[in-house]
Amino acid sequence: MENLIEAIILGVVEGLTEFLPVSSTGHLLLLGHFLGFESNGKSFEVLVQLGAILAIMLVYFRRLLDIAMRLGSDPQARRFVLGVLVAFLPAALIGALAHGFIKTVLFNPVLVCTSLIAGGLVLMVVDELELEVKHEDATRFPLSMYLKIGLVQCLAMIPGVSRSGSTIVGAMLLGASKRAAAEFSFFLAMPTMAGAFAYDLLKNYKTLTFDDTILIVVGFIAAFCSALLVVRLFLDYVSKRGFALFAWWRIIVGMVGLAGLWIVG
């Protein structure tokens, strides 16, 4: 029963943080560490993301369907899909090659806290810059820009950096508006998270027990429900107020995490 409650808590945190530039994996690793939650091969932290994937697909269902329906007749729709694939490939390649190293070495609470603080400072600085906005539509970035955002996303292989945070910062530095940067982060999340889910499941499904599966399903449902709330509110918020709140949140969580590790281990 205790593990189920912990799975629900972690699932809710996953959904609330997955699409914010605060690192959902970092939050799950830290919270799991202090709760004493141990998942088989650290698979829970990856597989529970399926709930957030389905939430973003539901919110964007009409737009995704529209793009799919236009693929045969609209070069712009084909170009956007190609752009998402181009942005996805660097992380897919590095993730496959470094999967074991990431899970065994980088899933480290101290590294997570350090990355949270450093990423918060970067996000704060970028949010204050007077950047020239060249692109207001996430579906019309140049192909070279999609590739550069994909390369920046690879920094998120380090837990605590944040996949959404790295892609948003990268897109803004390349001329995207805050809203367009956040929206493309959503689109890029779909193949990236789905790929991470499929690869981790392929690697670890033989070692997952029935109890592991129950916890993952419970976490998935909690992540789905909480992610629905965040996705609907996030774009409007950052369009009006920027990312300062999330930068401060990262720094505070990182510092509290370091203090907690120093006090209790």
Side-chain angles (χ1 to χ4, degrees):
M1 184 62 181
E2 181 180 350
N3 282 345
L4 283 176
I5 294 174
E6 291 173 349
I8 292 172
I9 294 172
L10 291 169
V12 169
V13 170
E14 158 62 28
L16 291 177
T17 58
E18 180 58 53
F19 301 110
L20 304 181
V22 298
S23 180
S24 62
T25 302
H27 278 68
L28 289 188
L29 289 174
L30 278 181
L31 187 56
H33 176 81
F34 290 116
L35 288 175
F37 182 86
E38 289 287 340
S39 65
N40 191 345
K42 298 293 184 183
S43 290
F44 178 92
E45 290 82 353
V46 176
L47 298 182
V48 75
Q49 293 177 344
L50 179 62
I53 298 171
L54 295 182
I56 192 70
M57 292 181 70
L58 179 62
V59 171
Y60 276 83
F61 177 76
R62 290 186 179 180
R63 290 190 65 180
L64 293 172
L65 180 62
D66 176 64
I67 291 169
M69 295 292 289
R70 291 189 289 111
L71 280 177
S73 59
D74 186 354
Q76 179 58 43
R78 292 194 295 271
R79 183 178 171 281
F80 173 61
V81 171
L82 176 62
V84 173
L85 292 176
V86 166
F88 161 69
L89 284 176
L93 180 60
I94 294 177
L97 294 175
H99 180 266
F101 177 78
I102 293 169
K103 282 289 198 73
T104 57
V105 178
L106 298 185
F107 274 37
N108 180 301
V110 175
L111 180 60
V112 167
C113 292
T114 304
S115 298
L116 283 170
I117 295 170
L121 294 173
V122 171
L123 190 61
M124 190 177 297
V125 170
V126 172
D127 190 52
E128 292 295 325
L129 292 177
E130 294 294 333
L131 298 171
E132 180 184 0
V133 175
K134 302 176 183 177
H135 308 285
E136 296 278 1
D137 187 343
T139 67
R140 294 179 177 271
F141 293 167
L143 283 178
S144 60
M145 182 172 169
Y146 287 125
L147 176 59
K148 292 173 184 176
I149 294 172
L151 292 171
V152 174
Q153 181 184 226
C154 294
L155 294 172
M157 298 295 173
I158 304 171
V161 169
S162 172
R163 183 204 57 77
S164 59
S166 60
T167 55
I168 287 170
V169 167
M172 287 174 59
L173 290 175
L174 291 168
S177 67
K178 291 178 180 178
R179 186 181 183 91
E183 191 164 53
F184 183 69
S185 173
F186 289 173
F187 282 115
L188 185 54
M190 298 178 203
T192 301
M193 293 162 61
F197 173 88
Y199 190 79
D200 197 273
L201 185 61
L202 181 65
K203 284 283 188 179
N204 295 301
Y205 76 95
K206 292 182 180 179
T207 64
L208 294 177
T209 65
F210 178 76
D211 289 343
D212 293 329
T213 304
I214 293 297
L215 293 178
I216 290 169
V217 170
V218 168
F220 150 76
I221 295 172
F224 174 81
C225 295
S226 57
L228 279 178
L229 297 175
V230 169
V231 172
R232 295 181 184 278
L233 298 173
F234 179 56
L235 283 177
D236 288 338
Y237 181 88
V238 300
S239 297
K240 298 174 182 176
R241 303 190 181 184
F243 299 99
L245 174 65
F246 307 107
W248 279 111
W249 176 260
R250 291 178 61 106
I251 293 169
I252 291 169
V253 170
M255 293 179 67
V256 170
L258 286 176
L261 291 171
W262 181 68
I263 294 170
V264 302

